[in-house]
Amino acid sequence: MRWNLGYWYPWQVTILGLGPVWQSANGAARARAAEALDAGGAGAFGLSEKDHGADIYSSDLVLTPDGAGGYRATGSKYYIGNGNCARTVSVFGRIDGVEGPDQYVFFYADSAHPNYHVVKNVVPSQMFVAEFRLEDYPVREQDILHTGAEAFSAALNTVNIGKFNLCFGGIGMATHSLYEAITHAHNRILYGHPVTDFPHVRREFVEAYARLAGMKLFSGRAVDYFRSASPEDRRYLLYNPITKMKVTTEARKVIGLVADVVAAKGFEADTYLAMAKNDVDGLPKLEGTVAVNLALIAKFMPAYLFSPQEYPPVPTRDYAADDGFLFRQGPARGLSKIRFHDWKPAYEKASRIPNVACFTEQARLLVRLLAEATPDEAQQADLDFGLALTELFTLVVYGQLILEQAELTGIEDDLVDQLFAVLVQDFSVAAVDLHGKPSSTDKQQELALAAVRKPIVDDERFARVWEQVRALSGAYEMNP
């Protein structure tokens, strides 16, 4: 049997559905959800709507007081995984006639209730991503999970928990695809030579391998900050959207690179790659869009780059522990007040590595651009310009955590150098993109082009990293 993302998805959205329940002070609801899980039931996260997406300010699912201390809920939810069968459905709505934050509510619903109507599956796949509608659905006091601003925070905090693992879905798919591709290509003879003798094939494999290493290093370190978080240390709120946006888009690049190498083989029914190419495109979009996460990341840019704060060192967190804060994250506000440790020491400690030094020059030019050619009010309101700028910023954060994890885990300099050769190239592409934005000023264009660099070339280093990739041929093969 070929296991694809369709088998993982029901578990993924069950975690989301349970998030508001786990975070609730409603003990009866938590016990009900535990009983449903024990019986094999799934969960669903009833947040997004057809006309508003995940814009929870504009929910059209309305609760009307029933005069007996409860409510009647009417409205639709759209793109809800497991929405056809979940016995635990956390539904977000608003109370009719109430204004401001007090109008929001999360409540517990059950897809087996007669007033819960499944409209259809909105995707053409084995996954059931439902549109469902509640018609005069009874919401009792014991069904209420959160009200007011707490309900709003529960929605965002659930996403912090439940969608963090998208990065590991991408890592697994990319790793499996790389193993399959190198085994095929290295053992296929073309014009009297193994396919991997061709220089462009080696380049694509080495780039894929380096990008995959970066994905693993960043995500592993992001886990440490997530599990070590507290009300006084919320740095995870920057690192989490990067795992959801950057790591998943890197997975697409890795799979795209190895798919280019194996060509027609990647469409065959007996390959994992055929499924991965189809599934991986969904990972960055399961959190809305890349733009949603970039816009969130942008909120942290001034504090991260210009206002560092001292923190105790964060250890590697790969052991079992009670990570209770994840279910008591508190109000989802105050992002501009979050501070970060200084990003520069991680780069300075690795300055012996040529491409790290090159990338550090690029990062410093981004700081100069923001300080000497600060985006004006109109540019700050220009989402297109802002997203291009945030892409550059994201690369700096991405590189910092990669370097921290590389030091902690003893990754050799050759691989780090090859990885940063890729990041230097990516930074240059993003800088050219910023330069070309309609609203960019002359000074911004000058500094953007000044950040364009060619990665430091080292044929011997490349050959050593290639040997690491070549050694993966035949190392893993999926059972038929």
Side-chain angles (χ1 to χ4, degrees):
M1 181 180 288
R2 304 295 182 180
W3 293 93
N4 65 4
L5 205 65
Y7 294 91
W8 169 82
Y9 182 73
W11 171 82
Q12 145 76 17
V13 291
T14 293
I15 298 299
L16 288 168
L18 292 170
V21 182
W22 282 335
Q23 296 174 61
S24 175
N26 185 335
R30 294 200 305 271
R32 180 181 171 189
E35 184 179 345
L37 281 176
D38 283 343
F45 189 48
L47 184 69
S48 64
E49 299 180 9
K50 187 172 185 179
D51 294 333
H52 305 294
D55 177 8
I56 54 182
Y57 293 100
S58 305
S59 177
D60 286 334
L61 192 142
V62 177
L63 284 75
T64 305
D66 63 6
Y71 300 92
R72 291 283 173 165
T74 298
S76 297
K77 292 294 179 179
Y78 192 83
Y79 223 90
I80 311 302
N82 295 347
N84 63 316
C85 64
R87 303 305 305 268
T88 303
V89 187
S90 298
V91 182
F92 185 87
R94 59 183 179 84
I95 300 172
D96 189 36
V98 178
E99 300 295 329
D102 290 342
Q103 68 184 301
Y104 301 121
V105 61
F106 247 122
F107 63 94
Y108 195 124
D110 183 349
S111 67
H113 193 281
N115 293 30
Y116 183 112
H117 305 285
V118 178
V119 179
K120 62 179 179 180
N121 187 1
V122 302
V123 298
S125 74
Q126 72 186 59
M127 298 181 292
F128 204 107
V129 186
E131 176 184 3
F132 71 79
R133 180 168 181 81
L134 304 183
E135 291 283 0
D136 205 32
Y137 187 99
V139 180
R140 305 161 300 170
E141 182 179 356
Q142 59 263 40
D143 298 325
I144 301 295
L145 300 172
H146 304 274
T147 58
E150 183 184 286
F152 191 90
S153 293
L156 300 180
N157 293 340
T158 293
V159 169
N160 288 335
I161 299 169
K163 294 195 175 181
F164 182 83
N165 65 74
L166 295 177
C167 67
F168 297 106
I171 287 170
M173 295 167 71
T175 301
H176 196 151
S177 298
L178 179 64
Y179 274 113
E180 184 175 80
I182 186 63
T183 298
H184 169 73
H186 192 60
N187 292 281
R188 187 175 186 219
I189 305 301
L190 194 62
Y191 305 117
H193 298 274
V195 168
T196 50
D197 279 0
F198 295 104
H200 71 287
V201 169
R202 291 191 177 188
R203 178 191 59 78
E204 288 177 311
F205 268 125
V206 167
E207 180 179 338
Y209 183 70
R211 287 189 185 277
L212 181 56
M215 294 161 60
K216 293 178 179 179
L217 290 167
F218 179 87
S219 300
R221 189 59 175 150
V223 167
D224 299 337
Y225 287 100
F226 197 17
R227 297 188 64 195
S228 299
S230 68
E232 296 72 40
D233 181 359
R234 299 200 293 162
R235 287 174 284 178
Y236 73 100
L237 290 175
L238 168 60
Y239 307 141
N240 276 28
I242 294 178
T243 63
K244 292 181 288 186
M245 179 276 294
K246 180 66 177 173
V247 177
T248 56
T249 55
E250 286 292 285
R252 290 168 62 187
K253 291 178 182 178
V254 170
I255 290 173
L257 285 162
V258 299
D260 284 345
V261 170
V262 302
K265 180 68 177 177
F267 293 91
E268 294 183 10
D270 63 348
T271 66
Y272 176 79
L273 187 56
M275 293 186 298
K277 288 191 299 180
N278 181 65
D279 289 341
V280 74
D281 193 48
L283 289 176
K285 299 178 178 64
L286 285 172
E287 171 55 4
T289 65
V290 168
V292 169
N293 285 294
L294 280 171
L296 175 60
I297 291 164
K299 296 179 184 294
F300 301 103
M301 195 180 334
Y304 176 94
L305 292 175
F306 297 104
S307 302
Q309 175 180 306
E310 290 288 333
Y311 283 97
V314 170
T316 298
R317 295 292 303 274
D318 57 0
Y319 50 86
D322 181 4
D323 296 323
F325 174 75
L326 302 186
F327 308 104
R328 297 190 301 271
Q329 296 176 55
R333 60 175 184 263
L335 300 186
S336 63
K337 297 179 181 179
I338 296 173
R339 293 293 180 267
F340 301 86
H341 59 301
D342 195 346
W343 58 276
K344 295 184 288 295
Y347 286 96
E348 291 166 357
K349 286 199 288 186
S351 60
R352 68 187 181 280
I353 303 173
N355 279 298
V356 173
C358 184
F359 185 86
T360 305
E361 294 174 3
Q362 294 176 304
R364 288 174 177 155
L365 279 161
L366 171 62
V367 174
R368 276 191 59 195
L369 186 153
L370 291 168
E372 300 174 17
T374 308
D376 60 25
E377 189 174 337
Q379 287 177 316
Q380 292 178 40
D382 179 354
L383 186 59
D384 186 43
F385 179 88
L387 293 179
L389 191 62
T390 306
E391 183 65 40
L392 293 168
F393 170 59
T394 298
L395 286 166
V396 177
V397 184
Y398 193 63
Q400 179 198 351
L401 264 62
I402 285 172
L403 290 174
E404 289 183 9
Q405 187 73 346
E407 181 182 28
L408 287 168
T409 56
I411 300 298
E412 68 276 11
D413 285 1
D414 277 346
L415 182 54
V416 175
D417 199 16
Q418 194 66 50
L419 168 54
F420 271 83
V422 172
L423 297 185
V424 168
Q425 184 175 322
D426 289 350
F427 198 100
S428 297
V429 170
V432 171
D433 183 44
L434 182 68
H435 170 273
K437 293 302 176 186
S439 63
S440 62
T441 66
D442 290 345
K443 184 65 173 177
Q444 289 166 346
Q445 292 173 40
E446 174 190 334
L447 290 170
L449 288 185
V452 174
R453 295 283 190 280
K454 177 180 178 179
I456 308 299
V457 176
D458 184 333
D459 292 338
E460 293 182 356
R461 176 204 70 221
F462 180 93
R464 290 191 294 270
V465 175
W466 160 246
E467 285 303 311
Q468 296 179 35
V469 183
R470 186 194 61 76
L472 299 178
S473 174
Y476 170 78
E477 193 168 351
M478 185 170 61
N479 288 328

